Amino acid sequence: MVVTQASPPRLSRWLMAALPYVAAVVISFLAAGVFIAVMGFNVLRAYETILFTSFRTPNGFIQTLLKFVPLTLQALAFTVPLAAGKFNIGGEGQMIVGAIGATAVGILFAGAPGVLLLPSVLLASVLAGALWAAIPGWLLYRFGINEILSTVLMNFVSFQLINYVATEIWPDPAAGHPTTVPIGEGALLPLLIRRPPLHLGFLLTIVVAVLVYIYVTRTVYGYELVATGANPRAAQVYGIPVQVLSVLALVLGGAMAGLAGGVEVAGIHRRLIEGLQSNYLTLGILAGLIAKGRVVAVPFVAFFLSVLEVGASAMQRTMMIPGEMVIIVEAFIVLFILLSEVIRRR
Amino acid sequence: MTAPLVEMRHIHKRFGDVVALEDVHFELQAGEIHGLLGGNGAGKTTLMNILYGLYTADRGEIHVRGQRVLIHSPRDALHLGIGMVHQHFLQVAPFTVVENIALGTLPRLGGKKHVRAAADRIQALAQQFGLAVDPHAVVEDLPVGVRQRVEILKALYRGADVLILDEPTTNLTPQEVDALFQSLRAMVAQGLSVIFITHKIREVMAVCDRVTVLREGRNVFTRSRAETREEDLVRGMVGEQLDVQHSFLFSGRPQETEHTAGAPLIQVHDLTVLGDNNVPAVQGCTFTVREGEILGIAGVAGNGQTELAEALMGIRPIAQGEVTINGYRVRVGSTRHLLARDVAYIPEDRLEDGYLPAASVAHNLILGYHRRPPYSRGSFLDWPAVFQAAWRLIKEYNIRTAGPTEIAANLSGGNIQRLMLARAFAHPFRVLIAHNPTRGLDIPSTEFVYRKLLEARARGAAILLISEDLDELLLLCDRIGTLYRGQLMGILDRPAFDKYRIGEMMAGVAATQA
């Protein structure tokens, strides 16, 4: 057989790769605009609020970066297992348990100096998240139980756990909502910028994202992860311990989701508050899907989604348009990107 | 010359960007066996799938018995008396022969009587053409050769008088091949016509009246066998790319220079391996492969070859016995240690076992060797070195791809095979376990692989070559063992090679002398 078509030159191939993304974003905004218009709001002002709130004031920008931190970590918690072909839908529970671990250390050793306490708090969140993911990992390894199911179910267990910790073990009686007493002063993340406050977690997230990128694309372990995700059977035939790697990938994901919990406690809330996980799991999965599992793209997509999120709450405040509108936009983006994949395959 | 029975004119067919057939002509005279010869990707099967209604041509006409016809489905083809036997049989394994053959033709009511009538008709056909088969046998119990007869009888039962056979000798023993050829002769003697798709020149010379050669989707020539020499067919199939005079493939393995086998590198003692259904697939096998030696494993597919290869590579558990390769005692999970000890592996199932469709060509080329220099240093991959090696391998092994970053899912079957070979041969292995290494390759690539294997042998590698192609084994091996239902029926030395004896062993007759 003869292949007749030559491969197109490099630049146009890049454009072809970018095209579906640009198109997906534009079409999604247009579609959401229809909804907004039908509800009787000013579409252009809504667009403007969504896209530019993050960049108009220092406060808006810092808000965006603070969203970016847990969102990126959650996106990586989803993407790294995905590279090995495993779906971690348990980021929410792993984040909660990470937050619990951080809080426990932060309260129990409240008097310890910051040099010791802060690293211990963060380490506790990482370990707790990893442990929470290791349970589904072990079930997968030992009994072949589907990780999608088990990671989701572990989320529900974590809801009870946080409730118990915040109402029974270290409850703050003054708070009207399940909340613990504050963690020690030494456990708090130092600020990079004082006003508006931006904590060190931002830098930490960038470092984690870079390390993950190096791990996945530059090391032999990352190669084995990718090979496992690309075809587990062939990876096994060529000597890669795929079962161990699947578990490892889930545990790594759990560690990062756990860190997200620890950073929220040590950087924002200074205590454990029920509901601190917000909707970061959903956003993280969306970010991972939009990035099509490429770790290099994850922080950028996460930043873009953070901008939309901050814009959404501003839109809700100032224009009374439901902030969920932005979730619709995000969902459309994912759908159109998946659709473009189908079209390309035709 | 009388008007042809079947005539295909100006047939064009594309699959996406790939031109499968371009302006192809084909004609079949009544009462002839017409060989359709070509390498992989020549378009033989595509052309016949068009005649049988599985594909429709983009352009072109088909005439049957002088009438222009449109064939949209195998049902249309059968109406015109055209039947086809594919390489992979579509049979209901737990059903009997009659049930399989008469499937869809029996009336719903009055079963017994009709079944008996059908069985009688099948018996009659079987006798008429020498296709011995018990109509009441259950299909899954039958050997491949008999299952093929069932498939041929199915076409005849439905009234086909033009029979298309796609690579019918794959997986047959030499005895079964002879029997098949006799049946084909009986068919044409009684007025049927046969189209015989093959890539084996010898088979064309043995049984065909005329031959049409295709190459890269185009006609090369159509001639009667009487006025054709083997060399013409070789040239027709490969064009001018191959130096036929100096080809192993057509002139045999070069004469031995002084050669003595050295230390044992693969030692297998009393090996038993379970298949996927937990029934022993390999039983009590014992053999040794030494330095500078190629041991072939012959056998009809599904007689334990895959399980043997996987157990040796540490992919499948060893139920009983011992395997030592290059001084290393193999257990399940040993694979990475074996690869690190210069043991190379070419798996049979390239799509499932051999490549990473979702990763790049470069990722694929280093699979299993990614922990070695030059591909990596310590924990880090050296991508510039990987890409450099990848470009070199792509060129040397003639892998048709846009480059190392292309997604491997875009590669065709033959290119995936070349990629697997490039991966295995890129390192100077001490031991090679290769299962059907030339499947899906064109002739020059096959020749290239043979050259590589013999080179490796000459430098002292031990090679276990598991192949369903007996000619390949006879050409390359120093010794040949035959697997039948998981048991080694005996190992013959090169001077004792005899196609028919190996054929008997493939059918389960043990070698009389050890």
Side-chain angles (χ1 to χ4, degrees):
Chain A
M1 300 192 192
V2 189
V3 178
T4 49
Q5 202 180 356
S7 63
R10 210 187 173 101
L11 180 69
S12 71
R13 249 192 311 171
W14 273 98
L15 285 177
M16 286 300 285
L19 186 70
Y21 284 87
V22 176
V25 171
V26 170
I27 296 171
S28 305
F29 268 89
L30 289 177
V34 172
F35 281 99
I36 294 172
V38 166
M39 287 191 288
F41 296 103
N42 182 335
V43 177
L44 287 181
R45 246 194 82 205
Y47 284 165
E48 198 201 345
T49 313
I50 291 177
L51 288 175
F52 298 122
T53 304
S54 295
F55 306 102
R56 258 200 298 256
T57 61
N59 197 31
F61 193 66
I62 297 293
Q63 278 296 320
T64 308
L65 295 186
L66 289 177
K67 287 244 179 230
F68 167 83
V69 170
L71 178 43
T72 303
L73 291 173
Q74 278 286 18
L76 291 173
F78 175 72
T79 314
V80 169
L82 189 66
K86 294 292 152 200
F87 288 85
N88 178 22
I89 317 293
E92 187 165 27
Q94 292 145 14
M95 183 175 173
I96 288 173
V97 175
I100 293 173
T103 310
V105 172
I107 292 173
L108 289 173
F109 304 99
V115 196
L116 286 177
L117 189 55
L118 178 61
S120 313
V121 162
L122 293 179
L123 189 66
S125 69
V126 167
L127 291 178
L131 179 76
W132 209 245
I135 297 169
W138 180 76
L139 291 172
L140 175 71
Y141 182 81
R142 185 73 186 74
F143 303 107
I145 291 174
N146 184 309
E147 81 285 353
I148 303 178
L149 214 64
S150 55
T151 50
V152 169
L153 292 176
M154 291 297 284
N155 289 343
F156 293 99
V157 181
S158 73
F159 300 155
Q160 305 306 315
L161 198 62
I162 192 173
N163 210 353
Y164 179 70
V165 172
T167 56
E168 300 290 334
I169 301 187
W170 297 296
D172 178 357
H177 179 82
T179 305
T180 65
V181 294
I183 55 174
E185 282 290 318
L188 302 182
L189 277 167
L191 297 181
L192 287 173
I193 303 173
R194 203 153 280 285
R195 197 172 301 237
L198 175 66
H199 60 71
L200 192 65
F202 173 69
L203 219 57
L204 205 59
T205 303
I206 300 290
V207 170
V208 169
V210 171
L211 287 180
V212 166
Y213 172 71
I214 291 173
Y215 173 80
V216 172
T217 63
R218 294 282 183 266
T219 69
V220 292
Y221 319 106
Y223 172 85
E224 296 191 345
L225 211 64
V226 171
T228 301
N231 180 354
R233 168 69 192 168
Q236 192 200 348
V237 166
Y238 282 89
I240 294 170
V242 294
Q243 282 165 311
V244 176
L245 275 177
S246 303
V247 175
L248 182 75
L250 282 174
V251 169
L252 268 178
M256 287 186 285
L259 181 63
V263 167
E264 287 297 280
V265 167
I268 308 279
H269 305 295
R270 309 175 163 218
R271 55 177 62 75
L272 189 64
I273 298 175
E274 194 194 47
L276 90 169
Q277 79 276 15
S278 185
N279 60 346
Y280 290 123
L281 169 67
T282 319
L283 294 174
I285 292 175
L286 286 175
L289 290 177
I290 293 174
K292 287 196 203 155
R294 280 185 307 238
V295 282
V296 64
V298 162
F300 299 98
V301 176
F303 181 78
F304 174 66
L305 293 190
S306 307
V307 168
L308 296 188
E309 282 294 306
V310 168
S313 27
M315 181 178 73
Q316 182 156 352
R317 271 196 318 274
T318 60
M319 295 177 67
M320 312 295 278
I321 300 175
E324 283 76 13
M325 210 63 226
V326 164
I327 295 275
I328 295 181
V329 172
E330 289 158 1
F332 272 134
I333 293 176
V334 173
L335 278 180
F336 286 125
I337 285 174
L338 294 181
L339 205 64
S340 76
E341 197 78 339
V342 175
I343 292 167
R344 195 188 308 213
R345 236 175 272 152
R346 285 285 159 83
Chain B
M1 209 184 240
T2 52
L5 180 59
V6 173
E7 194 178 3
M8 302 176 80
R9 295 180 191 160
H10 304 291
I11 301 291
H12 292 254
K13 180 73 184 171
R14 297 168 71 98
F15 295 104
D17 292 337
V18 179
V19 177
L21 295 172
E22 196 170 335
D23 200 22
V24 172
H25 294 249
F26 178 80
E27 56 164 69
L28 176 72
Q29 294 289 340
E32 70 167 347
I33 301 180
H34 194 127
L36 189 53
L37 180 74
N40 278 286
K44 321 177 286 281
T45 303
T46 307
L47 185 67
M48 286 303 117
N49 279 341
I50 289 171
L51 182 57
Y52 189 53
L54 288 171
Y55 301 144
T56 35
D58 299 336
R59 267 191 286 154
E61 301 177 358
I62 302 175
H63 295 254
V64 176
R65 294 172 234 277
Q67 298 275 314
R68 170 131 195 229
V69 294
L70 296 173
I71 302 175
H72 295 295
S73 70
R75 187 180 289 260
D76 294 348
L78 277 166
H79 266 294
L80 294 164
I82 299 168
M84 184 160 176
V85 176
H86 282 92
Q87 251 176 309
H88 302 282
F89 311 144
L90 291 169
Q91 294 174 341
V92 188
F95 280 21
T96 63
V97 171
V98 196
E99 287 166 337
N100 265 287
I101 290 177
L103 195 71
T105 64
L106 287 175
R108 256 170 239 199
L109 294 173
K112 276 245 167 73
K113 199 177 75 193
H114 292 292
V115 169
R116 219 174 302 128
D120 289 345
R121 238 190 95 200
I122 291 164
Q123 279 288 27
L125 283 171
Q127 234 153 37
Q128 192 180 351
F129 299 114
L131 296 162
V133 58
D134 170 11
H136 300 292
V138 174
V139 161
E140 63 191 344
D141 298 337
L142 298 174
V144 182
V146 181
R147 291 183 69 161
Q148 183 180 56
R149 281 178 226 151
V150 173
E151 209 61 13
I152 294 172
L153 282 170
K154 187 156 63 176
L156 297 176
Y157 183 90
R158 294 178 183 203
D161 55 7
V162 174
L163 197 61
I164 307 166
L165 301 171
D166 189 1
E167 302 275 2
T169 59
T170 316
N171 273 319
L172 296 191
T173 65
Q175 286 84 346
E176 288 172 324
V177 171
D178 287 354
L180 173 70
F181 286 177
Q182 275 174 18
S183 297
L184 296 185
R185 279 273 142 235
M187 286 176 206
V188 293
Q190 296 176 52
L192 274 61
S193 316
V194 175
I195 303 171
F196 184 99
I197 305 176
T198 185
H199 66 277
K200 292 185 179 165
I201 289 163
R202 213 161 298 161
E203 293 178 348
V204 170
M205 300 306 282
V207 73
C208 297
D209 301 308
R210 283 201 303 158
V211 55
T212 293
V213 182
L214 296 184
R215 184 171 77 234
E216 292 182 347
R218 287 165 222 248
N219 284 96
V220 181
F221 57 73
T222 299
R223 278 187 207 160
S224 80
R225 184 195 48 191
E227 59 198 40
T228 309
R229 292 173 308 151
E230 276 197 33
E231 201 183 315
D232 302 333
L233 295 177
V234 177
R235 290 220 182 278
M237 279 173 82
V238 298
E240 299 303 316
Q241 307 167 44
L242 188 73
D243 182 357
V244 178
Q245 305 303 326
H246 294 100
S247 156
F248 306 130
L249 203 48
F250 299 107
S251 55
R253 194 165 90 158
Q255 280 303 307
E256 290 295 284
T257 50
E258 186 85 11
H259 183 78
T260 43
L265 289 183
I266 304 178
Q267 289 168 286
V268 176
H269 182 72
D270 193 27
L271 176 70
T272 295
V273 185
L274 300 184
D276 290 334
N277 48 7
N278 278 325
V279 173
V282 174
Q283 283 186 68
C285 283
T286 299
F287 60 86
T288 302
V289 190
R290 295 173 177 277
E291 265 178 344
E293 186 181 50
I294 303 179
L295 173 66
I297 298 288
V300 175
N303 274 288
Q305 292 95 325
T306 307
E307 290 82 358
L308 175 67
E310 290 182 0
L312 260 52
M313 283 308 294
I315 299 161
R316 188 179 280 269
I318 291 168
Q320 197 191 308
E322 273 177 41
V323 175
T324 309
I325 294 182
N326 207 2
Y328 185 80
R329 176 78 187 272
V330 177
R331 292 181 305 108
V332 65
S334 297
T335 316
R336 75 162 56 201
H337 306 293
L338 290 172
L339 290 168
R341 276 157 204 262
D342 295 322
V343 179
Y345 179 46
I346 299 169
E348 176 196 26
D349 188 338
R350 59 185 169 225
L351 296 183
E352 288 292 322
D353 296 0
Y355 94 125
L356 310 169
S360 71
V361 169
H363 275 93
N364 271 280
L365 281 168
I366 67 173
L367 179 63
Y369 298 93
H370 54 279
R371 283 174 179 270
R372 291 187 174 202
Y375 300 154
S376 63
R377 262 180 261 137
S379 300
F380 288 90
L381 285 166
D382 185 346
W383 282 112
V386 170
F387 274 72
Q388 207 183 343
W391 276 117
R392 186 171 52 75
L393 293 172
I394 286 168
K395 197 172 278 177
E396 187 181 349
Y397 290 82
N398 194 18
I399 302 168
R400 276 180 223 159
T401 169
T405 53
E406 187 177 12
I407 294 299
N410 295 345
L411 299 184
S412 69
N415 278 313
I416 295 168
Q417 190 71 26
R418 280 190 275 268
L419 181 148
M420 292 205 311
L421 292 163
R423 177 201 295 152
F425 290 156
H427 299 269
F429 53 80
R430 289 276 288 154
V431 174
L432 172 69
I433 294 167
H435 195 171
N436 288 336
T438 58
R439 180 186 282 180
L441 293 185
D442 51 35
I443 291 171
S445 300
T446 302
E447 174 84 19
F448 179 81
V449 172
Y450 289 176
R451 208 172 280 276
K452 284 273 176 189
L453 291 175
L454 291 175
E455 272 169 27
R457 173 180 175 274
R459 65 169 166 73
I463 299 171
L464 183 71
L465 178 61
I466 303 172
S467 178
E468 281 150 29
D469 184 345
L470 194 49
D471 293 331
E472 176 171 297
L473 294 174
L474 292 169
L475 180 69
L476 295 172
C477 296
D478 298 294
R479 293 185 296 144
I480 297 179
T482 307
L483 269 181
Y484 173 74
R485 298 204 173 154
Q487 292 182 337
L488 217 40
M489 303 308 291
I491 297 178
L492 300 180
D493 290 329
R494 193 161 182 87
F497 281 2
D498 173 1
K499 208 163 142 166
Y500 288 94
R501 267 199 57 211
I502 296 173
E504 284 172 2
M505 284 154 59
M506 284 164 78
V509 181
T512 40
Q513 73 180 61

